[in-house]
């Protein structure tokens, strides 16, 4: 999907490429009034090809390729085409020797026989020790293991992927040994079309067993196993001796496949996967959190509106009555409140980056709420965010340069370049170090060189030019005029009370925005680090809206108190007030690491804190920008509402 050298891609082609990268491998979907794509319809005796994905573990967070351990292999291993998000997630989708025939059950099918040596036995033992799971895909459905719930009447729970094996003691032995799951009992659920002899797959389940298979005589391709009866409904049971993993041991891999007709329609087949966790506590906690935040926000808004109305009325009455009383409060600093801050260039860069992040999250959540970025589209969410980040560079350049011009800046090209490079370069440097650690562990999660080159090409080929285009447009716009004049000599700031100390007020300001998201944050972290699906994008969108309101209101309140104390240095403090919620996010991530995760390897711990540092940094830029613009609007509003000579 390349273009000849020297050619240029029009905007329509770039949008088409972006949509293709985002929605490829998403399965069939259809729009109202458009006939659905029937590529997922299968007929009797049609072959079903099972694909294998990465091995995953919540203990190490390092994915590995399925064939990194000596499982049964097909004659030729073929890699599936993956989108950008799948590659960055560490997905490695390949073909497998598991081939079924639609609605034709098969019992005790022998895949292969493997004789372990010291190296292969150690590979299996390491994966069993770290509780790795095998992930497979059939018709874009991930393989799941049914798990019994405490409430037998409730819906079944599912675990994504099955464990490579188990570690434990066998009867009559005191030593712990490693046992591999070498027999898989698959259940493929399908929904039958009443008009045609066709069906669609709506479920893919498995029950793994560890069975020490036995046979008579020498091993050949046609050898019949005495421990596996192909004519029985259940070919193996847990009463068989388990298959131990040791040097010079032979392992025979087998499987069963059973087909069950289901009433679940193809359009609803993902519902069971998305309801893996008990979401009653989730809904109660989120609603409770939203009610608290809404109540606090309403109280803050009411107090601010009444106080401001009284202040503005009093100031204007003083002017009309020509009273010679001394001015007090926030009006006293009117000649200094719009004085450019120290290090204003850096503030412009961070504000522009925050606008870019805001646009990315807003558009992504809208697409997710509409269903375009559902979990069935593996890697779609990450691909969409990366592409949106690239194209939102236009707004980043515009916002940073507009603010820069208001501060009487003239070198707009320098600001545009720093806006395009500062945040991405910082994140890319951290990501590069983390990727080197993953590569050192020989994990499939390491981003290939070609993908890394593609990311850099997107950055410098599209994002940077768009930042310059936005900066050019923003600099050509008329300069934003201040509502009051600024004196040449800055006014001296009086000594502040202890509770108006910048560090104290900034740290206090970040608590409320963090409180708006920390319940939802728990489920987001769980979906990322405990390998679960996250699907409540509608509620996430509501929480995002509440976060915006909370960041704006808490920043406005503290900015008002600061101005009333005759402290006019509000520019940076407004950014840091709501931005400090990122510190609480990182602290909560640390708490989550020690209380919910079982990571023991140093590399895995470094990866966790490295990625959470990137997430916290992004959260700081986002919330800081929201708070800054809220305070910027607030100060311009109140100082343009009073009469000043």
């Amino acid at each position: 999907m390349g273009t000849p050298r020297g050619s240029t891609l029009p905007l329509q082609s770039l949008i088409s490429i972006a949509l293709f990268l985002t929605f490829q491998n998403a399965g069939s979907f259809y729009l109202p009034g458009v006939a659905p794509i029937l590529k997922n319809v299968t007929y009797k005796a049609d072959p079903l090809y099972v694909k294998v994905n990465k091995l995953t573990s919540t203990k190490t967070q390092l994915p590995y390729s399925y064939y990194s351990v000596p499982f049964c292999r097909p004659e030729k291993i073929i890699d599936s085409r993956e989108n950008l998000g799948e590659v960055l997630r560490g997905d490695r989708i390949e073909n497998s020797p598991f081939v079924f025939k639609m609605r034709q059950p098969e019992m005790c099918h022998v895949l292969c026989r493997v004789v372990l040596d010291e190296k292969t036995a150690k590979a299996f033992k390491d994966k069993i020790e770290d509780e790795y799971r095998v992930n497979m895909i059939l018709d874009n459905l991930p393989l799941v293991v049914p798990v019994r719930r405490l409430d037998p009447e409730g819906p079944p729970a599912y675990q994504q992927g099955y464990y490579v094996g188990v570690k434990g003691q066998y009867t009559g032995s005191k030593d712990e040994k490693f046992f591999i799951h070498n027999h898989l009992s698959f259940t493929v659920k399908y929904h039958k079309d009443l008009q045609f002899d066709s069906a669609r797959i709506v479920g893919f389940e498995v029950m793994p067993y560890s069975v020490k298979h036995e046979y008579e005589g020498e091993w050949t391709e046609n050898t019949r196993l005495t421990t596996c009866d192909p004519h029985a409904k259940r070919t193996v049971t847990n009463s068989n001796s388990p298959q131990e993993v040791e040097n010079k041991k032979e392992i025979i891999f087998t499987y069963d496949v059973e087909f069950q007709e289901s009433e679940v329609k193809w359009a609803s087949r993902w519902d069971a996967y998305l309801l893996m966790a008990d979401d009653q506590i989730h809904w109660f906690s989120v609603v409770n959190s939203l009610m608290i935040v809404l109540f606090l926000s309403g109280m803050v808004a009411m107090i601010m509106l009444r106080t401001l109305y009284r202040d503005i009325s009093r100031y204007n009455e003083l002017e009309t009555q020509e009273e010679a009383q001394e001015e007090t409060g926030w009006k006293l600093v009117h000649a200094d409140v719009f004085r450019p801050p120290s290090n204003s260039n850096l503030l412009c860069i961070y504000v522009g980056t925050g606008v870019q992040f805001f646009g990315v999250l807003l558009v992504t959540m809208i697409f997710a709420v509409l269903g375009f970025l559902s979990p069935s589209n593996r890697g779609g969410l990450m691909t969409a965010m990366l592409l949106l980040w690239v194209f939102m560079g236009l707004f980043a350049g515009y916002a940073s340069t507009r603010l820069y011009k208001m501060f009487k800046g003239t070198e707009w090209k320098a600001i545009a370049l720093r806006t395009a490079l500062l945040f991405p370069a910082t994140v890319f440097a951290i990501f590069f170090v983390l990727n080197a650690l993953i590569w050192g562990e020989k994990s499939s999660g390491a981003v290939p060189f070609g993908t890394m080159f593609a990311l850099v090409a997107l950055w410098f080929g599209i994002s940077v030019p768009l930042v310059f285009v936005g900066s050019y447009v923003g600099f050509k716009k008329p300069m934003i005029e201040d509502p009051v004049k600024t004196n040449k000599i800055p006014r001296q700031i009086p000594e502040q009370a202890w509770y108006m100390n910048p560090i104290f007020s900034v740290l206090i300001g970040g608590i409320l925005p963090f409180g708006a998201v920390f319940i939802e944050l728990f489920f987001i972290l769980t979906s990322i680090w405990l390998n679960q699906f996250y699907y409540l994008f509608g509620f996430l969108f509501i929480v995002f809206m509440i976060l915006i309101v909370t960041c704006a209101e808490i920043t406005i309140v503290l900015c008002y108190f600061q101005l009333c104390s005759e402290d006019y240095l509000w520019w940076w403090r407004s950014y840091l007030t709501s931005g400090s919620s990122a510190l609480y996010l990182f602290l909560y991530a640390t708490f989550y690491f020690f209380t919910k995760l079982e990571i023991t390897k140093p590399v895995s711990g470094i990866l966790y804190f490295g990625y959470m540092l990137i997430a916290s940094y992004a959260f700081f830029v986002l919330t800081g920008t929201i708070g800054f613009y809220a305070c910027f609007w607030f100060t311009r509003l109140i100082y343009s509402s009073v009469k000043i000579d």
Side-chain angles (χ1 to χ4, degrees):
M1 195 175 62
T3 56
R5 292 185 179 180
S7 64
T8 58
L9 284 174
L11 179 61
Q12 184 177 2
S13 300
L14 288 174
I15 295 174
S16 301
I17 293 171
L19 291 174
F20 171 76
L21 288 171
T22 305
F23 298 115
Q24 67 169 328
N25 297 334
S28 299
F29 64 95
Y30 64 91
L31 300 176
V34 182
I37 302 172
L38 299 179
K39 70 176 184 179
N40 296 87
V41 174
T42 55
Y43 295 88
K44 197 168 185 179
D46 279 358
L48 301 175
Y49 298 98
V50 178
K51 295 184 179 181
V52 291
N53 201 349
K54 59 188 176 181
L55 305 178
T56 56
S57 170
T58 57
K59 291 184 67 175
T60 68
Q61 302 296 335
L62 293 170
Y64 286 91
S65 169
Y66 176 82
Y67 295 111
S68 62
V69 289
F71 286 118
C72 298
R73 296 169 174 255
E75 294 182 1
K76 183 181 179 182
I77 299 177
I78 302 174
D79 293 328
S80 298
R81 185 180 60 185
E82 295 155 349
N83 58 38
L84 182 60
E86 286 178 309
V87 175
L88 294 177
R89 284 176 25 149
D91 286 348
R92 297 295 180 267
I93 303 174
E94 300 161 313
N95 62 326
S96 76
F98 297 94
V99 181
F100 310 149
K101 289 185 178 179
M102 186 64 179
R103 287 185 280 175
Q104 291 189 10
E106 191 170 4
M107 299 297 154
C108 195
H109 183 93
V110 178
L111 272 181
C112 70
R113 171 178 171 267
V114 177
V115 179
L116 301 181
D117 55 23
E118 187 174 347
K119 182 179 179 181
T120 54
K122 185 179 184 300
F124 272 127
K125 287 181 179 180
D126 290 343
K127 297 298 182 290
I128 295 173
E129 179 75 37
D130 291 331
E131 299 180 2
Y132 271 87
R133 298 179 187 176
V134 178
N135 295 283
M136 297 182 178
I137 301 170
L138 179 62
D139 190 34
N140 200 41
L141 277 181
L143 179 68
V144 293
V145 180
V147 180
R148 292 182 180 179
R149 287 184 182 267
L150 296 177
D151 181 14
E153 298 181 357
Y158 295 102
Q159 168 192 289
Q160 192 173 357
Y162 69 91
Y163 288 109
V164 175
V166 293
K167 180 182 178 182
Q169 297 177 348
Y170 189 57
T171 306
S173 175
K174 295 182 179 179
D175 298 331
E176 284 193 332
K177 296 183 178 181
F178 295 88
F179 303 100
I180 189 172
H181 287 140
N182 61 324
H183 180 85
L184 304 176
S185 182
F186 294 103
T187 301
V188 179
K189 297 182 179 181
Y190 65 92
H191 182 75
K192 191 174 181 180
D193 193 322
L194 298 178
Q195 296 181 353
F196 306 98
D197 186 24
S198 61
R200 288 185 173 187
I201 296 172
V202 296
F204 187 34
E205 301 175 4
V206 70
M207 285 298 296
Y209 298 97
S210 179
V211 183
K212 185 179 181 181
H213 285 302
E214 298 176 358
Y215 55 90
E216 297 177 354
E218 295 292 330
W219 175 263
T220 63
E221 292 184 1
N222 299 322
T223 298
R224 183 177 180 278
L225 302 177
T226 59
T227 51
C228 193
D229 185 2
H231 301 291
K233 186 174 182 181
R234 175 168 288 183
T235 57
V236 298
T237 63
N238 284 328
S239 61
N240 296 100
S241 300
Q243 177 62 60
E244 185 181 347
V245 178
E246 280 297 339
N247 185 19
K248 298 182 180 180
K249 292 269 188 180
E250 69 171 4
I251 301 177
I252 300 173
F253 291 91
T254 58
Y255 72 86
D256 305 333
V257 58
E258 178 186 3
F259 290 86
Q260 291 182 1
E261 188 172 353
S262 174
E263 295 181 358
V264 176
K265 294 184 179 181
W266 187 84
S268 306
R269 64 178 187 163
W270 272 87
D271 291 355
Y273 293 83
L274 300 180
L275 297 176
M276 285 185 178
D278 187 3
D279 59 352
Q280 291 183 0
I281 299 176
H282 177 100
W283 283 88
F284 175 77
S285 300
V286 172
V287 170
N288 184 58
S289 176
L290 291 177
M291 292 300 293
I292 293 174
V293 172
L294 285 172
F295 173 76
L296 292 175
S297 301
M299 293 291 292
V300 167
M302 184 175 63
I303 294 172
M304 287 301 303
L305 288 174
R306 293 189 63 181
T307 305
L308 274 176
Y309 180 76
R310 186 173 63 248
D311 284 349
I312 293 173
S313 300
R314 181 166 58 88
Y315 290 149
N316 288 335
E317 286 175 3
L318 289 173
E319 292 293 335
T320 54
Q321 296 173 8
E322 297 181 355
E323 297 181 0
Q325 298 180 6
E326 184 180 358
E327 296 177 350
T328 58
W330 52 267
K331 186 182 178 183
L332 191 61
V333 296
H334 66 85
D336 297 275
V337 71
F338 293 106
R339 188 180 305 279
S342 59
N343 210 350
S344 59
N345 290 356
L346 185 62
L347 179 64
C348 297
I349 294 167
Y350 271 114
V351 168
T353 306
V355 170
Q356 190 175 9
F357 249 116
F358 182 82
V360 169
L361 290 181
L362 183 63
V363 177
T364 300
M365 287 188 186
I366 291 175
F367 271 94
V369 169
L370 294 177
F372 289 107
L373 300 176
S374 68
S376 61
N377 181 12
R378 288 182 307 276
L381 183 65
M382 188 174 295
T383 305
M385 292 186 70
L386 281 172
L387 293 174
L388 284 172
W389 170 266
V390 169
F391 290 108
M392 286 293 171
L394 188 71
F395 299 96
Y398 180 84
S400 61
T401 310
R402 286 283 283 165
L403 189 61
Y404 176 72
K405 188 175 183 178
M406 193 186 76
F407 292 149
K408 309 296 190 298
T410 57
E411 300 294 330
W412 69 269
K413 293 180 181 179
I415 289 296
L417 183 63
R418 292 173 66 183
T419 302
L421 298 182
L422 180 62
F423 181 85
T426 305
V427 172
F428 189 81
I430 300 174
F431 176 73
F432 187 82
V433 173
L434 297 178
N435 192 66
L437 293 175
I438 301 173
W439 180 80
E441 294 291 323
K442 299 180 180 179
S443 168
S444 67
V447 178
F449 176 78
T451 305
M452 196 80 75
F453 179 79
L455 292 175
V456 175
L458 285 173
W459 179 12
F460 285 96
I462 301 179
S463 180
V464 173
L466 285 178
V467 172
F468 271 88
V469 171
S471 298
Y472 176 79
V473 174
F475 198 74
K476 288 297 181 181
K477 287 280 186 179
M479 186 174 62
I480 302 173
E481 297 291 341
D482 296 332
V484 292
K485 294 182 179 180
T486 302
N487 289 340
K488 294 182 179 180
I489 302 176
R491 177 187 177 89
Q492 186 176 0
I493 300 174
E495 186 177 353
Q496 301 293 304
W498 66 270
Y499 51 85
M500 291 306 298
N501 182 277
I503 297 177
F504 180 79
S505 61
V506 163
L507 292 178
I508 290 296
I511 295 177
L512 195 58
F514 173 75
V517 299
F518 88 97
I519 295 293
E520 202 71 16
L521 180 64
F522 170 81
F523 292 96
I524 294 175
L525 291 179
T526 300
S527 67
I528 295 174
W529 300 107
L530 294 181
N531 211 21
Q532 295 183 11
F533 290 111
Y534 184 88
Y535 63 97
L536 292 178
F537 292 111
F539 240 111
L540 182 63
F541 184 76
I542 295 175
V543 171
F544 181 61
M545 294 294 107
I546 293 296
L547 175 66
I548 295 173
V549 173
T550 308
C551 288
E553 288 184 346
I554 193 64
T555 307
I556 288 173
V557 169
L558 293 180
C559 180
Y560 172 74
F561 291 153
Q562 179 185 352
L563 295 176
C564 288
S565 300
E566 301 179 18
D567 183 357
Y568 53 83
L569 302 178
W570 63 272
W571 297 95
W572 271 110
R573 195 184 292 193
S574 66
Y575 196 98
L576 297 175
T577 296
S578 54
S580 65
S581 57
L583 174 63
Y584 297 101
L585 187 150
F586 189 78
L587 293 176
Y588 180 79
T590 305
F591 170 78
Y592 184 88
F593 177 83
F594 288 108
T595 57
K596 300 298 181 181
L597 301 181
E598 298 179 359
I599 294 177
T600 55
K601 290 188 176 183
V603 173
S604 302
I606 294 173
L607 289 178
Y608 176 84
F609 284 105
Y611 284 126
M612 292 312 302
L613 181 63
I614 293 176
S616 301
Y617 185 28
F619 194 71
F620 164 75
V621 173
L622 171 69
T623 54
T625 301
I626 295 172
F628 170 81
Y629 271 114
C631 197
F632 180 72
W633 167 82
F634 171 73
T635 51
R636 293 181 63 83
L637 179 66
I638 62 174
Y639 283 100
S640 61
S641 302
V642 294
K643 298 176 182 179
I644 298 173
D645 294 333

